[in-house]
Amino acid sequence: MKLDIDEIIYNVEVFGDLALGAGPPLLLLHGFTGSIQNWRTHASALVQQNRSAIAVDLLGHGETRAPTDPQGYAMAATAKSLAELLQKLGLDRVHLLGYSMGGRLALYMAIHYPKLIATLTLESASPGLVSAEERATRKASDNALANWVEANGIPAFVERWEKVPLFDSQKLLPATVRAGVRKQRLQNSVHGLANSLRGMGTGVQPSLWPHLVELKKPVHLIVGALDTKFVAINQCMADLLPDVQLSVVDGTGHTVHLEKAAEFDELVIKWLSIHNLKK
């Protein structure tokens, strides 16, 4: 379905019956270059457990509109739009799951819209960079990459993105799976991805580290054991969060939901069952 939020048309997909599912639905937020397509098989697994889910194409991705102003992609603006989206769907509370960029956004939402969030699941996510110097360096890097995308186009960018060391473990996936991921990435637009980097990149995100000790929601951190950088980040996060479960999945890297889909679904379903808060 298409929903108009502040004159931006969001592409939204609902899985199961939002009114009849066991507990609040699960809102799924994809990562950079992703889309709703990343979540369809996982949402189907939830529906089989009498649960419901909602997946959203974030700004600049999939079939959601890609505004020309990078400020529209800012985390505060996007979180506000998602809160209004939930209101339009008649929902006052959801479980929230975000992967990578979507995880950073999910953490921001849990901190700034706590009444909307029942539980929080973060896959391969972080609270951002600690120092202003780190953020400035990363902002310059993100802006340079955005300019490169605009100069070279989506096919060349996807080719480059697939070679990022963060995704090395995806090379172990079957060729058909990797081809499906590439096909989905190629469906994004040049200015959508470029402005997402400029508006919601790690360099412009405010550091959320100081807020972790104040977050009173149950938080599930999921990370792949081969993704050593994010294992270390998530271990630090776990030390600060008051109510947390850390799941390190063996034999997988940054994209746990893709590389170990069945194990990922089992972790998520078990988590929701434990925290089966009624509407």
Side-chain angles (χ1 to χ4, degrees):
M1 72 174 73
K2 299 294 191 292
L3 291 179
D4 186 340
I5 309 294
D6 293 332
E7 299 184 348
I8 295 175
I9 305 301
Y10 273 84
N11 185 42
V12 182
E13 195 162 337
V14 174
F15 303 87
D17 191 322
L18 297 180
L20 299 179
L26 178 66
L27 175 60
L28 297 155
L29 304 180
H30 62 76
F32 180 65
T33 75
S35 77
I36 283 173
Q37 295 180 43
N38 303 148
W39 298 125
R40 284 183 178 143
T41 58
H42 305 287
S44 296
L46 288 169
V47 171
Q48 291 174 12
Q49 299 293 321
N50 191 33
R51 297 190 175 279
S52 57
I54 308 155
V56 181
D57 282 341
L58 296 175
L59 278 188
H61 293 78
E63 297 180 29
T64 288
R65 181 185 164 195
T68 56
D69 182 4
Q71 291 302 313
Y73 296 71
M75 195 159 283
T78 303
K80 179 177 178 291
S81 294
L82 289 178
E84 293 177 11
L85 185 150
L86 293 178
Q87 185 179 31
K88 284 204 170 188
L89 291 173
L91 299 170
D92 57 12
R93 187 171 57 170
V94 293
H95 296 287
L96 181 57
L97 188 159
Y99 158 67
S100 198
M101 179 190 77
R104 293 188 285 110
L105 175 58
L107 179 58
Y108 185 95
M109 284 198 70
I111 291 167
H112 291 86
Y113 297 88
K115 291 183 180 179
L116 291 177
I117 311 304
T119 69
L120 178 64
T121 299
L122 304 177
E123 177 198 357
S124 304
S126 85
L129 299 171
V130 175
S131 71
E133 291 78 13
E134 288 176 301
R135 291 193 294 275
T137 299
R138 180 58 182 268
K139 180 179 178 181
S141 175
D142 287 343
N143 286 339
L145 182 56
N147 293 339
W148 193 94
V149 174
E150 291 176 330
N152 293 276
I154 290 294
F157 171 70
V158 169
E159 185 75 20
R160 173 176 172 171
W161 191 247
E162 288 176 342
K163 296 176 182 177
V164 171
L166 191 67
F167 305 121
D168 278 350
S169 55
Q170 290 187 13
K171 296 174 183 177
L172 302 174
L173 292 168
T176 54
V177 174
R178 287 184 279 115
V181 173
R182 174 178 291 187
K183 181 180 179 181
Q184 177 272 306
R185 286 172 171 161
L186 288 169
Q187 292 170 359
N188 291 305
S189 69
V190 166
H191 68 275
L193 293 188
N195 283 335
S196 180
L197 284 165
R198 294 182 179 116
M200 202 192 288
T202 306
V204 294
Q205 175 192 324
S207 174
L208 302 177
W209 284 100
H211 299 281
L212 296 184
V213 294
E214 304 163 1
L215 187 56
K216 305 303 181 185
K217 301 293 178 181
V219 180
H220 188 187
L221 304 175
I222 300 176
V223 64
L226 302 179
D227 188 7
T228 54
K229 174 183 175 180
F230 277 82
V231 169
I233 290 171
N234 278 256
Q235 287 172 337
C236 291
M237 292 171 66
D239 289 339
L240 295 171
L241 289 161
D243 186 356
V244 63
Q245 173 182 321
L246 173 60
S247 297
V248 180
V249 181
D250 290 335
T252 185
H254 196 66
T255 47
V256 183
H257 68 275
L258 176 67
E259 299 170 51
K260 294 284 186 177
E263 190 167 347
F264 178 83
D265 289 344
E266 184 179 349
L267 284 170
V268 172
I269 290 168
K270 183 176 180 181
W271 171 260
L272 294 178
S273 298
I274 292 172
H275 300 279
N276 188 19
L277 307 176
K278 297 298 181 182
K279 297 178 182 177

